C-alpha cells in the first residue's frame, strides 16, 4: 500500500524498513530518522 500511495504523489517515495510495520517510528526510530534526513537532503523540484 505504501508503494501505491507514493506512486500517486509527485516525487513520491516509499521506503520499507524490513521487520517493522505500523508505528515504525516507535519501533525503529533510528532507521526512520536516517531515511527522513536522506529525504530532506534531496532538493525540491
Amino acid at each position: 500500500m505504501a508503494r501505491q500511495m507514493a506512486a500517486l504523489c509527485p516525487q513520491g517515495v516509499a521506503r520499507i524498513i524490513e521487520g517493522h510495520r505500523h508505528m515504525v517510528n516507535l519501533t525503529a526510530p533510528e532507521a526512520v530518522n536516517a531515511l527522513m534526513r536522506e529525504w530532506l537532503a534531496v532538493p525540491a523540484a
Side-chain angles (χ1 to χ4, degrees), residues 13-33:
V13 176
R15 300 291 299 268
I16 307 301
I17 299 174
E18 294 298 326
H20 296 273
R21 296 178 188 258
H22 297 298
M23 304 301 288
V24 67
N25 58 315
L26 298 177
T27 62
E30 297 86 8
V32 171
N33 289 341

Side-chain angles (χ1 to χ4, degrees), residues 4-5 12-15 19 24-25 28 31 39-40 42 45:
Q4 291 172 330
M5 290 171 44
V13 176
R15 300 291 299 268
V24 67
N25 58 315
W39 179 75
L40 288 168
V42 175

